[in-house]
Structure formats: structure tokens, C-alpha cells
Amino acid sequence: QVQLQESGPGLVKPSETLSLTCTVSGYSMTSGYYWGWVRQPPGKGLEWIGNIYHTGSTYYNPSLKSRVTISVDTSKDQFSLKLNSVTAADTAIYYCVRRSRIAMSLFDPWGQGTLVTVSS
Amino acid sequence: QTVVTQEPSLSVSPGGTVTLTCGLSSRSVSTNYFPSWYQQTPGQAPRTLMYNTDTLSSGVPDRFSGSILGNKAALTITGAQADDESDYYCVLYMGSGISVFGGGTKLTVL
């Protein structure tokens, strides 16, 4: 069964770059799904960040597009998130997800999530 | 900026029926938006309940159902149980690879 696991620093300084990696197990990343990121500020709702296909095609939330880069390394079964120029508003739990190519709003499964705090 | 609307909070009595909705500020929701629903309890990752409007995710009890009601997507819980008390999020596919989550509904069972 497919499993996703986020990893990366839990603390990032303001104005620096947040970097997270998601490792995929139990499924081939080239088998026809999108891979992406969703975040959730403490006590608030979910926000879609973006998706990537194994070919490298990317789709980003327009409100974050200028600061976000999602990349994929299928040889390592990983995909990554970079968010630059972070502020306290970027403090959130970051989830990596798999998105269906047919059921276009189906995000499943989800990683357990990792809390990233932006603070000096 | 597209806004997906959900009721901030709802309550239901144990055994009762409640309908959560998912709308758009400027147009009607249809199956073309592939509405999906997620349940989240505190400290946990979201769990998929429903996708493609009315397809139940594996392992989800059939007291949950999905539909289009009027101009919104809807999630109905029939025979609510105590452990249905959770936050519920819908998400719509807007095209061009873009998805938008609703603000979530906090459901209380009392």
C-alpha cells in the first residue's frame, strides 16, 4: 500500500527558504498520479499548494506561485517543496499527498504531516 | 481569487441527519468540479470520505453520502454517531490543474 512520509527542518528563519521532501513507498511514482503538497496553519483550514506529475509538469496555487517550486526525483521515489521568502504566515503543518489523474479532487493518501515553524 | 464556501459550524443530534454544503461565491457547483470531501480529527491527517461528488472512499460507512443539491455540492450524514464529530473539508477542481479547499465545517454531535 502506498505511503508518504514528509521530512525536513521544523524551524525556518523569516526570509529564508522552506524545504521539504516527501518519500513515496509502495507505489511507483511514474504510474499515473500527481504528487503534491497541502498545508494547514495551526487552528486553520487546508490550503492546496501545488502538484507535480512525474514528467515534471507543475501546477501551483496562484496565491503562492511566485514563491513555490515543486520538483520530483523518481529515481529516489521522492518529490520536494521549496517555498522562499517565508514569513510567520507560512507556519503550518505541511502534508504531502497523491492526487488522482481521473478523480481530479481526490487527494489520497496523505502523509502524516510535518510542522514547520517560521521564527527567528 | 476563487472562494469555496462551507458552513463554519453545524450541529446534529446522535442518530440525526445533517447536510454539509460546498459552494462557490460566483457560480454553481456541478459534477464538473469533481467535489471531494475530507474528515479531520484533531492531530490527525485528513481522511478521504467522498470523491467525484458521490463515490464513497474505501472503508467509509454508507451513512455518508454525496450529491449536488441545488447549486452546491453536499455531504449528508444519516444516523450521525459521536465519532462523526470532526472538521469536514470539501475541495473543488477549478481546471488548469488548480484545486481549492473550502474553509471547513466544524461538526458537533450533541
Side-chain angles (χ1 to χ4, degrees), chain B residues 34-85:
Chain B
F34 300 91
S36 294
W37 293 88
Y38 300 86
Q39 178 190 49
Q40 188 182 35
T41 53
Q44 299 297 313
R47 167 200 182 198
T48 308
L49 293 177
M50 197 78 58
Y51 60 96
N52 281 358
T53 306
D54 59 3
T55 302
L56 208 57
S57 186
S58 177
V60 175
D62 61 5
R63 64 177 183 274
F64 292 89
S65 61
S67 64
I68 299 293
L69 277 182
N71 61 350
K72 297 182 179 181
L75 175 73
T76 300
I77 308 173
T78 304
Q81 299 182 1
D83 62 3
D84 295 334
E85 185 162 294

CSV table of all heavy atoms in Angstrom, one decimal, chain B residues 34-85:
chain,number,residue,atom,x,y,z
B,34,PHE,N,-15.7,18.0,-9.8
B,34,PHE,CA,-15.2,16.8,-9.1
B,34,PHE,C,-15.1,17.0,-7.6
B,34,PHE,O,-14.1,16.7,-6.9
B,34,PHE,CB,-13.8,16.5,-9.6
B,34,PHE,CG,-13.7,16.2,-11.1
B,34,PHE,CD1,-13.4,17.2,-12.0
B,34,PHE,CD2,-13.9,14.9,-11.6
B,34,PHE,CE1,-13.4,17.0,-13.3
B,34,PHE,CE2,-13.9,14.7,-12.9
B,34,PHE,CZ,-13.6,15.7,-13.8
B,35,PRO,N,-16.2,17.4,-6.9
B,35,PRO,CA,-16.1,17.7,-5.5
B,35,PRO,C,-15.7,16.5,-4.7
B,35,PRO,O,-16.2,15.4,-4.9
B,35,PRO,CB,-17.5,18.2,-5.2
B,35,PRO,CG,-18.4,17.8,-6.3
B,35,PRO,CD,-17.5,17.7,-7.5
B,36,SER,N,-14.8,16.7,-3.7
B,36,SER,CA,-14.4,15.7,-2.8
B,36,SER,C,-14.6,16.2,-1.4
B,36,SER,O,-14.6,17.4,-1.1
B,36,SER,CB,-12.9,15.3,-3.0
B,36,SER,OG,-12.8,14.7,-4.3
B,37,TRP,N,-14.7,15.3,-0.4
B,37,TRP,CA,-14.9,15.6,1.0
B,37,TRP,C,-13.8,14.8,1.9
B,37,TRP,O,-13.6,13.7,1.6
B,37,TRP,CB,-16.3,15.2,1.4
B,37,TRP,CG,-17.3,16.0,0.8
B,37,TRP,CD1,-18.0,15.8,-0.4
B,37,TRP,CD2,-17.9,17.2,1.3
B,37,TRP,NE1,-18.9,16.7,-0.7
B,37,TRP,CE2,-18.9,17.6,0.3
B,37,TRP,CE3,-17.7,18.0,2.4
B,37,TRP,CZ2,-19.6,18.8,0.5
B,37,TRP,CZ3,-18.5,19.1,2.6
B,37,TRP,CH2,-19.4,19.5,1.7
B,38,TYR,N,-13.4,15.6,2.9
B,38,TYR,CA,-12.4,15.0,3.8
B,38,TYR,C,-12.8,15.3,5.2
B,38,TYR,O,-13.4,16.3,5.5
B,38,TYR,CB,-11.0,15.6,3.5
B,38,TYR,CG,-10.5,15.3,2.1
B,38,TYR,CD1,-10.9,16.2,1.1
B,38,TYR,CD2,-9.7,14.2,1.8
B,38,TYR,CE1,-10.5,15.9,-0.3
B,38,TYR,CE2,-9.4,13.9,0.5
B,38,TYR,CZ,-9.8,14.8,-0.5
B,38,TYR,OH,-9.4,14.5,-1.8
B,39,GLN,N,-12.5,14.3,6.1
B,39,GLN,CA,-12.8,14.4,7.5
B,39,GLN,C,-11.5,14.5,8.3
B,39,GLN,O,-10.5,13.8,8.0
B,39,GLN,CB,-13.6,13.2,8.0
B,39,GLN,CG,-13.9,13.1,9.4
B,39,GLN,CD,-14.4,11.7,9.8
B,39,GLN,OE1,-13.8,10.7,9.5
B,39,GLN,NE2,-15.6,11.7,10.5
B,40,GLN,N,-11.4,15.4,9.2
B,40,GLN,CA,-10.2,15.6,10.0
B,40,GLN,C,-10.5,15.7,11.5
B,40,GLN,O,-11.3,16.6,11.9
B,40,GLN,CB,-9.4,16.8,9.5
B,40,GLN,CG,-8.0,16.9,10.2
B,40,GLN,CD,-7.3,18.1,9.7
B,40,GLN,OE1,-7.8,19.2,9.5
B,40,GLN,NE2,-5.9,18.0,9.6
B,41,THR,N,-9.9,14.9,12.3
B,41,THR,CA,-10.0,15.0,13.7
B,41,THR,C,-8.7,15.6,14.2
B,41,THR,O,-7.7,15.6,13.5
B,41,THR,CB,-10.2,13.6,14.4
B,41,THR,OG1,-9.2,12.7,13.9
B,41,THR,CG2,-11.6,13.1,14.0
B,42,PRO,N,-8.7,16.2,15.4
B,42,PRO,CA,-7.6,16.9,15.9
B,42,PRO,C,-6.3,16.1,16.0
B,42,PRO,O,-6.3,14.9,16.4
B,42,PRO,CB,-8.0,17.3,17.3
B,42,PRO,CG,-9.5,17.5,17.2
B,42,PRO,CD,-9.9,16.4,16.3
B,43,GLY,N,-5.2,16.7,15.4
B,43,GLY,CA,-3.9,16.0,15.5
B,43,GLY,C,-3.7,14.9,14.4
B,43,GLY,O,-2.7,14.3,14.4
B,44,GLN,N,-4.7,14.8,13.5
B,44,GLN,CA,-4.6,13.7,12.5
B,44,GLN,C,-4.6,14.3,11.1
B,44,GLN,O,-5.1,15.4,10.9
B,44,GLN,CB,-5.8,12.8,12.6
B,44,GLN,CG,-5.9,12.0,13.9
B,44,GLN,CD,-4.7,11.1,14.2
B,44,GLN,OE1,-4.3,10.4,13.3
B,44,GLN,NE2,-4.1,11.2,15.4
B,45,ALA,N,-4.1,13.6,10.2
B,45,ALA,CA,-4.2,14.0,8.8
B,45,ALA,C,-5.6,13.8,8.3
B,45,ALA,O,-6.3,13.0,8.8
B,45,ALA,CB,-3.2,13.2,7.9
B,46,PRO,N,-6.0,14.6,7.3
B,46,PRO,CA,-7.4,14.4,6.7
B,46,PRO,C,-7.5,12.9,6.2
B,46,PRO,O,-6.6,12.3,5.8
B,46,PRO,CB,-7.4,15.4,5.6
B,46,PRO,CG,-6.5,16.5,6.0
B,46,PRO,CD,-5.3,15.7,6.7
B,47,ARG,N,-8.8,12.5,6.2
B,47,ARG,CA,-9.2,11.2,5.7
B,47,ARG,C,-10.2,11.4,4.6
B,47,ARG,O,-11.1,12.2,4.8
B,47,ARG,CB,-9.8,10.4,6.9
B,47,ARG,CG,-10.6,9.1,6.5
B,47,ARG,CD,-11.6,8.7,7.6
B,47,ARG,NE,-12.3,7.5,7.3
B,47,ARG,CZ,-13.4,7.1,7.9
B,47,ARG,NH1,-13.9,7.9,8.8
B,47,ARG,NH2,-14.0,6.0,7.6
B,48,THR,N,-10.0,10.7,3.5
B,48,THR,CA,-10.9,10.8,2.4
B,48,THR,C,-12.2,10.2,2.7
B,48,THR,O,-12.3,9.0,3.0
B,48,THR,CB,-10.3,10.2,1.1
B,48,THR,OG1,-9.0,10.7,0.9
B,48,THR,CG2,-11.1,10.5,-0.1
B,49,LEU,N,-13.3,10.9,2.5
B,49,LEU,CA,-14.7,10.3,2.6
B,49,LEU,C,-15.3,10.1,1.3
B,49,LEU,O,-15.9,9.0,1.1
B,49,LEU,CB,-15.6,11.3,3.4
B,49,LEU,CG,-15.2,11.6,4.9
B,49,LEU,CD1,-16.2,12.6,5.4
B,49,LEU,CD2,-15.3,10.3,5.7
B,50,MET,N,-15.2,11.0,0.4
B,50,MET,CA,-16.1,11.0,-0.8
B,50,MET,C,-15.3,11.7,-1.9
B,50,MET,O,-14.6,12.7,-1.7
B,50,MET,CB,-17.3,11.8,-0.6
B,50,MET,CG,-18.5,11.6,-1.6
B,50,MET,SD,-19.3,10.1,-1.3
B,50,MET,CE,-19.9,10.3,0.4
B,51,TYR,N,-15.4,11.2,-3.2
B,51,TYR,CA,-14.8,11.9,-4.3
B,51,TYR,C,-15.7,11.7,-5.5
B,51,TYR,O,-16.7,11.0,-5.5
B,51,TYR,CB,-13.4,11.3,-4.6
B,51,TYR,CG,-13.3,9.9,-4.9
B,51,TYR,CD1,-13.3,9.4,-6.2
B,51,TYR,CD2,-13.3,8.9,-3.9
B,51,TYR,CE1,-13.2,8.1,-6.5
B,51,TYR,CE2,-13.2,7.6,-4.2
B,51,TYR,CZ,-13.2,7.2,-5.5
B,51,TYR,OH,-13.1,5.8,-5.8
B,52,ASN,N,-15.4,12.5,-6.5
B,52,ASN,CA,-16.3,12.6,-7.7
B,52,ASN,C,-17.7,12.7,-7.4
B,52,ASN,O,-18.6,12.0,-7.9
B,52,ASN,CB,-16.1,11.3,-8.6
B,52,ASN,CG,-14.8,11.4,-9.4
B,52,ASN,OD1,-14.1,12.4,-9.4
B,52,ASN,ND2,-14.6,10.3,-10.1
B,53,THR,N,-18.0,13.6,-6.5
B,53,THR,CA,-19.3,14.0,-6.0
B,53,THR,C,-20.0,13.0,-5.0
B,53,THR,O,-20.4,13.3,-3.9
B,53,THR,CB,-20.3,14.2,-7.2
B,53,THR,OG1,-19.8,15.2,-8.1
B,53,THR,CG2,-21.7,14.7,-6.6
B,54,ASP,N,-20.0,11.7,-5.5
B,54,ASP,CA,-20.8,10.7,-4.7
B,54,ASP,C,-20.2,9.4,-4.6
B,54,ASP,O,-20.9,8.4,-4.3
B,54,ASP,CB,-22.2,10.6,-5.4
B,54,ASP,CG,-22.2,10.2,-6.8
B,54,ASP,OD1,-21.1,9.9,-7.3
B,54,ASP,OD2,-23.2,10.1,-7.5
B,55,THR,N,-18.9,9.3,-4.9
B,55,THR,CA,-18.2,8.0,-4.7
B,55,THR,C,-17.6,7.8,-3.3
B,55,THR,O,-16.8,8.7,-3.0
B,55,THR,CB,-17.1,7.8,-5.8
B,55,THR,OG1,-17.7,7.9,-7.1
B,55,THR,CG2,-16.5,6.4,-5.7
B,56,LEU,N,-18.1,6.8,-2.6
B,56,LEU,CA,-17.6,6.6,-1.2
B,56,LEU,C,-16.2,6.1,-1.3
B,56,LEU,O,-15.9,5.1,-2.0
B,56,LEU,CB,-18.6,5.7,-0.6
B,56,LEU,CG,-18.8,5.7,0.9
B,56,LEU,CD1,-19.2,7.1,1.4
B,56,LEU,CD2,-19.8,4.7,1.4
B,57,SER,N,-15.3,6.6,-0.5
B,57,SER,CA,-14.0,6.1,-0.4
B,57,SER,C,-14.0,4.8,0.4
B,57,SER,O,-14.9,4.5,1.2
B,57,SER,CB,-13.1,7.1,0.3
B,57,SER,OG,-11.7,6.7,0.3
B,58,SER,N,-13.0,3.9,0.1
B,58,SER,CA,-12.9,2.6,0.7
B,58,SER,C,-12.9,2.7,2.2
B,58,SER,O,-12.2,3.5,2.8
B,58,SER,CB,-11.6,1.9,0.2
B,58,SER,OG,-11.5,0.7,0.8
B,59,GLY,N,-13.8,1.9,2.8
B,59,GLY,CA,-13.8,1.8,4.2
B,59,GLY,C,-14.7,2.8,4.9
B,59,GLY,O,-14.9,2.8,6.1
B,60,VAL,N,-15.3,3.7,4.2
B,60,VAL,CA,-16.1,4.8,4.7
B,60,VAL,C,-17.6,4.2,4.9
B,60,VAL,O,-18.1,3.7,3.9
B,60,VAL,CB,-16.1,6.0,3.9
B,60,VAL,CG1,-17.1,7.1,4.4
B,60,VAL,CG2,-14.7,6.6,3.8
B,61,PRO,N,-18.2,4.3,6.0
B,61,PRO,CA,-19.5,3.8,6.2
B,61,PRO,C,-20.5,4.5,5.3
B,61,PRO,O,-20.4,5.7,5.0
B,61,PRO,CB,-19.8,4.0,7.7
B,61,PRO,CG,-18.8,5.0,8.1
B,61,PRO,CD,-17.6,4.9,7.3
B,62,ASP,N,-21.6,3.7,4.9
B,62,ASP,CA,-22.5,4.2,3.9
B,62,ASP,C,-23.6,5.2,4.6
B,62,ASP,O,-24.5,5.6,3.9
B,62,ASP,CB,-23.2,3.1,3.2
B,62,ASP,CG,-24.0,2.2,4.1
B,62,ASP,OD1,-24.1,2.4,5.3
B,62,ASP,OD2,-24.5,1.1,3.6
B,63,ARG,N,-23.4,5.6,5.8
B,63,ARG,CA,-24.2,6.6,6.4
B,63,ARG,C,-23.7,8.0,5.8
B,63,ARG,O,-24.4,9.0,6.0
B,63,ARG,CB,-24.2,6.7,7.9
B,63,ARG,CG,-22.9,7.0,8.5
B,63,ARG,CD,-23.0,7.0,10.1
B,63,ARG,NE,-21.8,7.4,10.7
B,63,ARG,CZ,-20.9,6.6,11.1
B,63,ARG,NH1,-21.0,5.3,10.8
B,63,ARG,NH2,-19.8,7.0,11.7
B,64,PHE,N,-22.6,8.0,5.1
B,64,PHE,CA,-22.1,9.2,4.4
B,64,PHE,C,-22.5,9.1,3.0
B,64,PHE,O,-22.4,8.0,2.3
B,64,PHE,CB,-20.6,9.3,4.5
B,64,PHE,CG,-20.1,9.6,5.8
B,64,PHE,CD1,-19.7,8.6,6.7
B,64,PHE,CD2,-19.9,10.9,6.3
B,64,PHE,CE1,-19.2,8.8,8.0
B,64,PHE,CE2,-19.4,11.2,7.5
B,64,PHE,CZ,-19.0,10.2,8.4
B,65,SER,N,-23.1,10.2,2.4
B,65,SER,CA,-23.4,10.2,1.0
B,65,SER,C,-23.1,11.6,0.4
B,65,SER,O,-23.1,12.6,1.2
B,65,SER,CB,-24.9,9.8,0.8
B,65,SER,OG,-25.7,10.7,1.4
B,66,GLY,N,-22.9,11.6,-0.9
B,66,GLY,CA,-22.6,12.8,-1.5
B,66,GLY,C,-23.6,13.1,-2.7
B,66,GLY,O,-24.1,12.2,-3.3
B,67,SER,N,-23.7,14.4,-3.0
B,67,SER,CA,-24.7,14.8,-4.0
B,67,SER,C,-24.4,16.2,-4.5
B,67,SER,O,-23.6,16.9,-3.9
B,67,SER,CB,-26.1,14.6,-3.6
B,67,SER,OG,-26.4,15.5,-2.5
B,68,ILE,N,-25.2,16.6,-5.5
B,68,ILE,CA,-25.3,18.0,-5.8
B,68,ILE,C,-26.7,18.4,-5.4
B,68,ILE,O,-27.7,17.8,-5.8
B,68,ILE,CB,-25.1,18.3,-7.3
B,68,ILE,CG1,-23.7,17.9,-7.8
B,68,ILE,CG2,-25.4,19.8,-7.6
B,68,ILE,CD1,-22.6,18.7,-7.2
B,69,LEU,N,-26.8,19.4,-4.5
B,69,LEU,CA,-28.1,19.9,-4.0
B,69,LEU,C,-28.2,21.4,-4.4
B,69,LEU,O,-27.5,22.2,-3.9
B,69,LEU,CB,-28.1,19.8,-2.5
B,69,LEU,CG,-28.5,18.5,-1.9
B,69,LEU,CD1,-28.6,18.6,-0.3
B,69,LEU,CD2,-29.9,18.0,-2.4
B,70,GLY,N,-29.1,21.6,-5.4
B,70,GLY,CA,-29.2,23.0,-5.9
B,70,GLY,C,-28.0,23.4,-6.6
B,70,GLY,O,-27.6,22.7,-7.5
B,71,ASN,N,-27.3,24.4,-6.1
B,71,ASN,CA,-26.1,24.9,-6.8
B,71,ASN,C,-24.9,24.6,-6.0
B,71,ASN,O,-23.8,25.2,-6.2
B,71,ASN,CB,-26.2,26.4,-7.0
B,71,ASN,CG,-26.4,27.2,-5.8
B,71,ASN,OD1,-26.6,26.6,-4.7
B,71,ASN,ND2,-26.3,28.5,-5.9
B,72,LYS,N,-24.9,23.6,-5.1
B,72,LYS,CA,-23.8,23.3,-4.2
B,72,LYS,C,-23.6,21.8,-4.2
B,72,LYS,O,-24.5,21.0,-4.4
B,72,LYS,CB,-24.0,23.8,-2.8
B,72,LYS,CG,-24.2,25.3,-2.7
B,72,LYS,CD,-24.3,25.7,-1.2
B,72,LYS,CE,-24.5,27.2,-1.1
B,72,LYS,NZ,-24.6,27.6,0.3
B,73,ALA,N,-22.3,21.4,-3.9
B,73,ALA,CA,-22.1,20.0,-3.5
B,73,ALA,C,-22.5,19.8,-2.1
B,73,ALA,O,-22.4,20.7,-1.3
B,73,ALA,CB,-20.6,19.7,-3.7
B,74,ALA,N,-22.9,18.6,-1.8
B,74,ALA,CA,-23.4,18.3,-0.4
B,74,ALA,C,-22.9,17.0,0.1
B,74,ALA,O,-22.7,16.0,-0.7
B,74,ALA,CB,-24.9,18.3,-0.4
B,75,LEU,N,-22.6,16.9,1.4
B,75,LEU,CA,-22.2,15.7,2.1
B,75,LEU,C,-23.3,15.5,3.2
B,75,LEU,O,-23.5,16.4,4.0
B,75,LEU,CB,-20.9,15.8,2.7
B,75,LEU,CG,-20.4,14.7,3.6
B,75,LEU,CD1,-20.1,13.5,2.7
B,75,LEU,CD2,-19.2,15.0,4.5
B,76,THR,N,-24.0,14.4,3.1
B,76,THR,CA,-25.1,14.1,4.1
B,76,THR,C,-24.6,13.0,5.0
B,76,THR,O,-24.2,11.9,4.5
B,76,THR,CB,-26.4,13.8,3.4
B,76,THR,OG1,-26.8,14.9,2.6
B,76,THR,CG2,-27.5,13.5,4.4
B,77,ILE,N,-24.8,13.2,6.3
B,77,ILE,CA,-24.6,12.1,7.2
B,77,ILE,C,-25.9,11.7,7.8
B,77,ILE,O,-26.6,12.5,8.4
B,77,ILE,CB,-23.7,12.6,8.4
B,77,ILE,CG1,-22.4,13.2,7.8
B,77,ILE,CG2,-23.3,11.4,9.3
B,77,ILE,CD1,-21.5,13.8,8.9
B,78,THR,N,-26.3,10.4,7.6
B,78,THR,CA,-27.6,9.9,8.0
B,78,THR,C,-27.3,9.0,9.2
B,78,THR,O,-26.6,8.0,9.1
B,78,THR,CB,-28.3,9.2,6.9
B,78,THR,OG1,-28.4,10.0,5.8
B,78,THR,CG2,-29.6,8.7,7.4
B,79,GLY,N,-28.0,9.2,10.3
B,79,GLY,CA,-27.7,8.4,11.5
B,79,GLY,C,-26.4,8.8,12.1
B,79,GLY,O,-25.5,7.9,12.3
B,80,ALA,N,-26.2,10.1,12.4
B,80,ALA,CA,-24.9,10.6,13.0
B,80,ALA,C,-24.5,9.8,14.2
B,80,ALA,O,-25.3,9.5,15.1
B,80,ALA,CB,-25.0,12.1,13.2
B,81,GLN,N,-23.2,9.6,14.4
B,81,GLN,CA,-22.6,9.0,15.5
B,81,GLN,C,-21.7,9.9,16.2
B,81,GLN,O,-21.2,10.9,15.6
B,81,GLN,CB,-22.0,7.7,15.2
B,81,GLN,CG,-22.9,6.7,14.6
B,81,GLN,CD,-22.2,5.3,14.2
B,81,GLN,OE1,-21.0,5.1,14.5
B,81,GLN,NE2,-23.0,4.4,13.7
B,82,ALA,N,-21.4,9.7,17.5
B,82,ALA,CA,-20.5,10.5,18.2
B,82,ALA,C,-19.1,10.7,17.6
B,82,ALA,O,-18.6,11.9,17.6
B,82,ALA,CB,-20.3,10.0,19.6
B,83,ASP,N,-18.6,9.7,16.9
B,83,ASP,CA,-17.3,9.8,16.3
B,83,ASP,C,-17.3,10.5,15.0
B,83,ASP,O,-16.3,10.6,14.3
B,83,ASP,CB,-16.5,8.5,16.3
B,83,ASP,CG,-17.2,7.5,15.4
B,83,ASP,OD1,-18.3,7.8,14.9
B,83,ASP,OD2,-16.7,6.3,15.4
B,84,ASP,N,-18.5,11.0,14.6
B,84,ASP,CA,-18.6,11.8,13.4
B,84,ASP,C,-18.2,13.3,13.7
B,84,ASP,O,-18.1,14.1,12.8
B,84,ASP,CB,-20.0,11.8,12.7
B,84,ASP,CG,-20.3,10.4,12.2
B,84,ASP,OD1,-19.4,9.7,11.9
B,84,ASP,OD2,-21.5,10.1,12.1
B,85,GLU,N,-18.1,13.6,15.0
B,85,GLU,CA,-17.7,14.9,15.4
B,85,GLU,C,-16.3,15.2,14.9
B,85,GLU,O,-15.3,14.7,15.5
B,85,GLU,CB,-17.8,15.1,16.9
B,85,GLU,CG,-17.6,16.5,17.4
B,85,GLU,CD,-18.2,16.7,18.8
B,85,GLU,OE1,-19.4,16.7,19.0
B,85,GLU,OE2,-17.3,17.0,19.7
